[in-house]
Amino acid sequence: MIELKGIAASPGIAIGRTFFLDKEEFAIKKHKIDKKNIDAEIFRFNEAVDKSRFELVEIKKKIVESIGHKNAKIFDAHILVLNDPLFIEKIHNRIKTELLNVEYAVWITTEELSNAFIQSGDSLVSERASDIHDVGRRILRNLLGNEREILASLQEEVIVAAADLAPSDTAQMRKEKVIGFVTDMGGRTSHVAIMARSLEIPAVVGLKEITEKVEPGDLLIVDGNSGTVIVNPENDVLKKYEKEKKKIRVVASELIKLKDVMVRTVDGHEVRLMANIEGPEEIESAINHGAEGVGLYRTEFLYLNRSDLPGEEEQFEAYKYVVDLMKPHPVTIRTLDLGGDKFLSHLNLSPEINPSLGCRGIRLCLNRPDIFKIHLRAILRASIFGNLKIMYPLISGIEELKRANQILEEVKQELTSKGTEFNRDVEVGIMIEVPSAAIIADFLAKETRFFSIGTNDLIQYSLAIDRVNEKIAYLYEPLHPSVLRLIKGVIDTAHNAGIEIGMCGEMASDPLFIPVLLGMGLDEFSMGSISVPVIKEIIRNISLVEAKGLAEKVMNFSSAGEIEEFLRTQLKKNQT
Ligand code: PEP
Ligand code: MG
């Protein structure tokens, strides 16, 4: 039995057998083939090439239909590589003369060619390197089978162990028999972790060496509450966790009874508890947990796990469904926040050294008005089916906000000229998640109807701590005095300007922080659905006066450690 400590990413306990998901690199084995198998090996290669070509032609067709020829150029380049006789010959020769297995022949050839292009020093030539690399991976995927298909064909429930996962992988687990996951890398506010909480899959991330400590098939206990993972537990430990698992289920079903109870402090102050969702399939859970609307709809998840972009109709149907079901409660649709840890390989954005500081969120949309306009059209069309609001992510200054609004205006005019219905007075707000926006919130408040504080990013950018990096996770401090000052400042500014302010970062779902945020005057808390009943219970047991007192006191401490100690002592006092 081994016990490992990581970062508690998604609550609950899972007990099951380990399944390894090695998505980082293909496991390419090199071996010599028998001379008599040369033809069979070449046949496998040719088949994989044909399949890859077919896939590329199909993707290109869809892209051309949805956003036009210009954006499909990348696929032309990939098809050219596949049709290049030199490329094909090189691999054939490796199989025929060096007697290499096809997977290795493809891998080594694409590595060699792309490295040669990169080293050429010519930027145009080195762009070809990524085409070769992508094509090589596509062929390999077709030779080896897709890992996801393996996940899809699982017959029994498993706990996934991986060095790292992408948010798209977690999204995929929704449909599979994955009851928990553990990773070497990642932080609590990475989208992989956020998604796990939405799907109610217990998870521990940032374990640093879990993939070295476990073997496929090992029995694992994942304790997503404490961040503990136990490999091959002894019998008494296993029994203890099985009991704990049952207890958690009972507590959760008790809390869910609070579904229709008002969210009101003991002295009668009302706030709204809303749900964060990543897709329409989560709306039922939001309603069942008593959320009074959707405070954050992360629309980018519709763009992941696919080789094309979702079209206007597909998006419209998804937004309409959510807005309609939640009616009369509001649904805040956050416009596309791709980039950072949510990337799309097929958009062919050039790789960035610092993706979190790069072309993500609203920046990407302003760079690609073609994609943004389709997205906005779908949102606006859905706005007549309920109470829909629009929210821009990652706004860092006034010009960006004005530019986004200008594009929105253009889309509104296009819809009007076509006679398409939409809510002309749809509310538009912004996320406050970049420190510059927090600092100039007074200017921004004049141009927008509401704010929502995105603490996941606000903390990352204020403290210069990559939210997905487990090595520095200990420095990711929501209670850092600088973060609290920013939050307090933004709340006051919003109220002075007469606009409402909520919070949709993970901080809004942490029981320890709730009294302080309430005392600072937050109007709305938005969180993963499973947290709604827990937070409701906390708010119902505190008075606003008391919360205000706490919020004032914490501002006098100079470190996160002191603030945390103070809040924990208060919590204990209240519990006794
Ligand atoms: C945030 O940054 O706090 C937020 C809610 O957005 P996301 O986690 O999707 O970046
Ligand atoms: Mg964010």
Side-chain angles (χ1 to χ4, degrees):
M1 176 171 113
I2 316 172
E3 189 173 318
L4 297 165
K5 269 276 174 208
I7 299 165
S10 176
I13 289 172
I15 302 171
R17 297 276 162 199
T18 316
F19 177 84
F20 255 75
L21 195 58
D22 182 9
K23 303 288 294 271
E24 273 305 277
E25 278 302 325
F26 291 105
I28 305 294
K29 295 201 175 72
K30 176 184 177 183
H31 61 88
K32 290 272 177 193
I33 56 165
D34 213 293
K35 265 194 181 148
K36 67 175 189 306
N37 290 335
I38 290 177
D39 285 347
E41 211 67 353
I42 288 187
F43 181 77
R44 279 185 63 220
F45 172 65
N46 291 345
E47 254 196 336
V49 168
D50 287 345
K51 188 156 182 232
S52 302
R53 190 181 296 108
F54 177 78
E55 285 169 359
L56 286 167
V57 170
E58 285 298 302
I59 299 168
K60 187 186 149 188
K61 232 194 280 171
K62 283 192 187 150
I63 297 275
V64 170
E65 276 163 20
S66 57
I67 51 173
H69 275 282
K70 210 172 92 217
N71 303 292
K73 273 192 193 140
I74 173 71
F75 300 105
D76 285 331
H78 286 191
I79 294 167
L80 271 181
V81 174
L82 280 179
N83 291 342
D84 181 347
L86 280 178
F87 175 71
I88 303 289
E89 272 308 296
K90 241 182 177 6
I91 294 171
H92 279 182
N93 279 340
R94 282 217 145 100
I95 298 171
K96 280 188 216 156
T97 56
E98 296 174 41
L99 296 178
L100 286 172
N101 57 313
V102 53
E103 289 85 359
Y104 187 75
V106 171
W107 181 78
I108 190 70
T109 307
T110 49
E111 285 296 297
E112 254 178 33
L113 286 174
S114 53
N115 284 341
F117 283 141
I118 288 170
Q119 278 154 17
S120 70
D122 178 325
S123 66
L124 269 183
V125 175
S126 64
E127 264 174 36
R128 284 260 295 155
S130 74
D131 295 339
I132 302 259
H133 185 256
D134 288 354
V135 169
R137 292 187 78 79
R138 184 174 291 279
I139 301 174
L140 283 172
R141 227 171 3 249
N142 283 324
L143 280 168
L144 291 164
N146 195 332
E147 294 281 3
R148 291 212 181 92
E149 281 160 25
I150 299 172
L151 256 192
S153 62
L154 282 174
Q155 295 301 315
E156 51 165 8
E157 292 185 333
V158 294
I159 292 175
V160 164
D164 194 14
L165 290 170
S168 51
D169 297 322
T170 333
Q172 186 77 7
M173 289 176 186
R174 192 195 311 269
K175 300 173 219 118
E176 324 301 355
K177 289 189 166 350
V178 178
I179 54 166
F181 70 80
V182 290
T183 60
D184 290 337
M185 294 151 87
R188 212 191 111 73
T189 58
S190 64
H191 287 95
V192 171
I194 290 171
M195 192 72 196
R197 290 196 281 282
S198 294
L199 300 179
E200 299 173 36
I201 299 177
V204 178
V205 300
L207 282 149
K208 298 193 175 100
E209 46 184 13
I210 185 80
T211 50
E212 278 167 33
K213 301 275 181 192
V214 289
E215 297 285 334
D218 276 348
L219 187 63
L220 278 192
I221 297 176
V222 180
D223 180 350
N225 300 317
S226 67
T228 310
V229 174
I230 299 170
V231 187
N232 294 326
E234 278 151 16
N235 237 341
D236 52 336
V237 176
L238 188 61
K239 281 209 182 99
K240 186 186 109 189
Y241 273 98
E242 272 164 353
K243 229 166 135 188
E244 183 65 22
K245 199 173 149 192
K246 273 196 200 125
K247 209 163 92 194
I248 291 175
R249 221 178 282 148
V250 174
V251 174
S253 60
E254 280 301 309
L255 278 172
I256 243 171
K257 290 186 190 148
L258 290 175
K259 178 175 171 284
D260 298 318
V261 171
M262 291 282 288
V263 196
R264 191 186 279 154
T265 59
V266 289
D267 48 356
H269 176 68
E270 282 177 23
V271 288
R272 283 186 309 274
L273 295 193
M274 316 281 277
N276 291 351
I277 63 165
E278 283 76 40
E281 48 296 305
E282 286 172 38
I283 201 68
E284 214 172 297
S285 169
I287 293 170
N288 290 340
H289 284 88
E292 291 179 277
V294 172
L296 169 67
Y297 182 164
R298 290 186 167 97
T299 52
E300 53 280 2
F301 278 81
L302 191 61
Y303 289 65
L304 304 178
N305 276 335
R306 55 196 295 159
S307 49
D308 57 355
L309 292 166
E312 182 180 324
E313 280 315 303
E314 185 181 348
Q315 294 188 53
F316 164 69
E317 289 299 335
Y319 310 148
K320 175 184 157 200
Y321 177 79
V322 172
V323 168
D324 190 31
L325 270 183
M326 256 302 164
K327 169 174 83 181
H329 297 305
V331 173
T332 305
I333 304 214
R334 177 178 70 185
T335 59
L336 205 49
D337 186 17
L338 284 169
D341 63 344
K342 294 168 290 195
F343 52 87
L344 287 191
S345 49
H346 64 275
L347 261 187
N348 196 31
L349 304 165
S350 44
E352 297 175 303
I353 293 177
N354 286 319
S356 299
L357 301 179
C359 190
R360 68 166 283 208
I362 198 70
R363 303 168 186 181
L364 175 65
C365 285
L366 297 182
N367 266 331
R368 292 294 302 264
D370 51 336
I371 296 175
F372 195 31
K373 280 190 164 180
I374 292 171
H375 183 49
L376 290 175
R377 261 206 306 273
I379 297 175
L380 282 172
R381 282 176 53 206
S383 66
I384 53 165
F385 293 91
N387 184 355
L388 179 152
K389 302 180 188 193
I390 297 176
M391 176 162 76
Y392 303 133
L394 216 79
I395 292 288
S396 62
I398 206 92
E399 298 291 347
E400 239 170 3
L401 172 57
K402 284 187 174 166
R403 176 79 190 114
N405 276 336
Q406 191 188 337
I407 296 179
L408 181 67
E409 215 36 59
E410 284 167 25
V411 175
K412 281 184 177 176
Q413 274 165 22
E414 280 165 28
L415 289 178
T416 306
S417 64
K418 279 195 197 140
T420 310
E421 267 193 276
F422 62 94
N423 173 10
R424 275 158 216 284
D425 191 35
V426 63
E427 274 189 44
V428 180
I430 61 168
M431 292 197 64
I432 301 287
E433 52 182 348
V434 180
S436 59
I439 293 165
I440 58 154
D442 52 336
F443 294 135
L444 293 167
K446 292 193 182 115
E447 305 285 333
T448 188
R449 302 264 285 270
F450 64 92
F451 284 160
S452 183
I453 310 176
T455 49
N456 305 339
D457 280 315
L458 187 64
I459 298 167
Q460 139 163 291
Y461 297 130
S462 306
L463 305 181
I465 301 299
D466 183 348
R467 63 194 261 195
V468 301
N469 187 340
E470 71 288 348
K471 292 192 197 86
I472 39 148
Y474 68 99
L475 287 172
Y476 189 94
E477 294 175 321
L479 294 175
H480 194 289
S482 64
V483 175
L484 294 185
R485 279 190 194 178
L486 283 177
I487 293 174
K488 176 80 173 91
V490 177
I491 295 176
D492 289 346
T493 306
H495 288 159
N496 286 338
I499 65 171
E500 290 230 322
I501 177 153
M503 179 179 284
C504 58
E506 295 305 299
M507 216 176 151
S509 62
D510 192 318
L512 189 66
F513 309 151
I514 299 302
V516 172
L517 298 173
L518 189 69
M520 285 182 173
L522 206 60
D523 302 309
E524 179 181 301
F525 296 69
S526 194
M527 62 202 76
S529 300
I530 46 167
S531 298
V532 172
V534 183
I535 301 306
K536 193 182 263 191
E537 185 62 0
I538 289 171
I539 292 176
R540 279 165 33 84
N541 282 296
I542 190 171
S543 75
L544 182 63
V545 175
E546 198 185 329
K548 277 187 176 161
L550 279 183
E552 264 169 41
K553 281 200 187 113
V554 296
M555 300 313 271
N556 298 320
F557 294 108
S558 60
S559 74
E562 286 169 290
I563 299 173
E564 181 165 347
E565 201 186 312
F566 169 72
L567 290 178
R568 289 205 186 280
T569 317
Q570 293 301 315
L571 196 70
K572 263 197 207 127
K573 262 196 214 159
N574 287 349
Q575 281 166 347
T576 50

